[in-house]
Amino acid sequence: MIHPKKIKINLKSDELRKGPTASVLLDGGIVITNNFELSNRFKPWLDYAREVGFSASGVFAIKFENGISGALNVYSNQIDAFDEHETSILNRVAKNITNAIENLYLKAQKEEALFLLKERNKELKIIYEISELLIVTGKQIGRASCRERVCLYV
């Protein structure tokens, strides 16, 4: 089992920012490493990959319009596990994940806007009711203060 705390990714470290995941987070796109043993960019994680039995990985960008990004990492215990067909399928999966997350975000924004609209509507209804009350009271008392075609009855 992979323990994420054992995998260090640091976008500011010269050594760690060259790894597959950091590269995707910084530049987007896809990074396929079909043999960890032969990859210089995977050296910082090679011992851990051996420990958990992984030989290859594919890292796929998850990028949003607001600039936030993430990565889908897929590991294999097989060397050369990621051919063109596998890569294409996994890239579509990453895009589907991106779309799903964006849709959840848009849904949350829509719900927040609807909530604020309902709250504003309640406020306006109260203002309207108060203004109606002031007008009725003013008609009963018969005094008005007018300024620029707006009258407040007291």
Side-chain angles (χ1 to χ4, degrees), residues 8-22:
K8 293 183 178 151
I9 299 168
N10 184 336
L11 301 179
K12 294 179 181 176
S13 163
D14 287 338
E15 181 183 24
L16 298 179
R17 72 181 292 140
K18 294 175 186 172
T21 303

Side-chain angles (χ1 to χ4, degrees), residues 9-36:
I9 299 168
N10 184 336
L11 301 179
K12 294 179 181 176
S13 163
D14 287 338
E15 181 183 24
L16 298 179
R17 72 181 292 140
K18 294 175 186 172
T21 303
S23 295
V24 167
L25 290 173
L26 292 169
D27 304 323
I30 301 168
V31 174
I32 301 297
T33 308
N34 267 319
N35 188 339
F36 292 160

Side-chain angles (χ1 to χ4, degrees), residues 3 13 25 33 46 51 64-66 73-74 79 89 91 118 126-127 138:
H3 298 281
S13 163
L25 290 173
T33 308
L46 186 56
E51 182 183 321
F64 304 104
E65 288 181 18
N66 63 4
N73 290 25
V74 180
I79 292 174
I89 289 170
N91 193 41
K118 286 179 180 179
I126 290 169
I127 291 169

Side-chain angles (χ1 to χ4, degrees), residues 6 30 51 78 99 134:
K6 290 186 177 184
I30 301 168
E51 182 183 321
Q78 304 282 320
N99 290 337
L134 289 173

Side-chain angles (χ1 to χ4, degrees), residues 24 29-30 32 58-62 70-74 82 87 90-91 94:
V24 167
I30 301 168
I32 301 297
V59 184
F60 304 84
I62 296 177
L72 170 64
N73 290 25
V74 180
F82 300 95
T87 301
L90 291 169
N91 193 41

Side-chain angles (χ1 to χ4, degrees), residues 72-89:
L72 170 64
N73 290 25
V74 180
Y75 296 92
S76 175
N77 60 355
Q78 304 282 320
I79 292 174
D80 294 325
F82 300 95
D83 61 17
E84 260 186 67
H85 179 70
E86 292 285 331
T87 301
S88 176
I89 289 170

Side-chain angles (χ1 to χ4, degrees), residues 94-153:
K95 287 180 180 181
N96 286 337
I97 291 170
T98 300
N99 290 337
I101 293 171
E102 282 180 335
N103 285 337
L104 289 171
Y105 178 73
L106 289 173
K107 182 181 177 191
Q109 281 185 317
K110 179 183 170 186
E111 288 172 358
E112 175 69 14
L114 185 58
F115 172 79
L116 292 173
L117 182 62
K118 286 179 180 179
E119 289 299 307
R120 183 66 176 145
N121 199 24
K122 287 178 191 176
E123 292 170 3
L124 290 172
K125 185 176 179 183
I126 290 169
I127 291 169
Y128 176 77
E129 289 171 357
I130 289 171
S131 69
E132 286 291 308
L133 181 64
L134 289 173
I135 290 171
V136 169
T137 303
K139 285 181 183 176
Q140 291 172 352
I141 297 173
R143 293 185 313 190
S145 171
C146 297
R147 184 180 178 136
E148 296 183 23
R149 299 173 46 181
V150 175
C151 296
L152 174 62
Y153 291 93

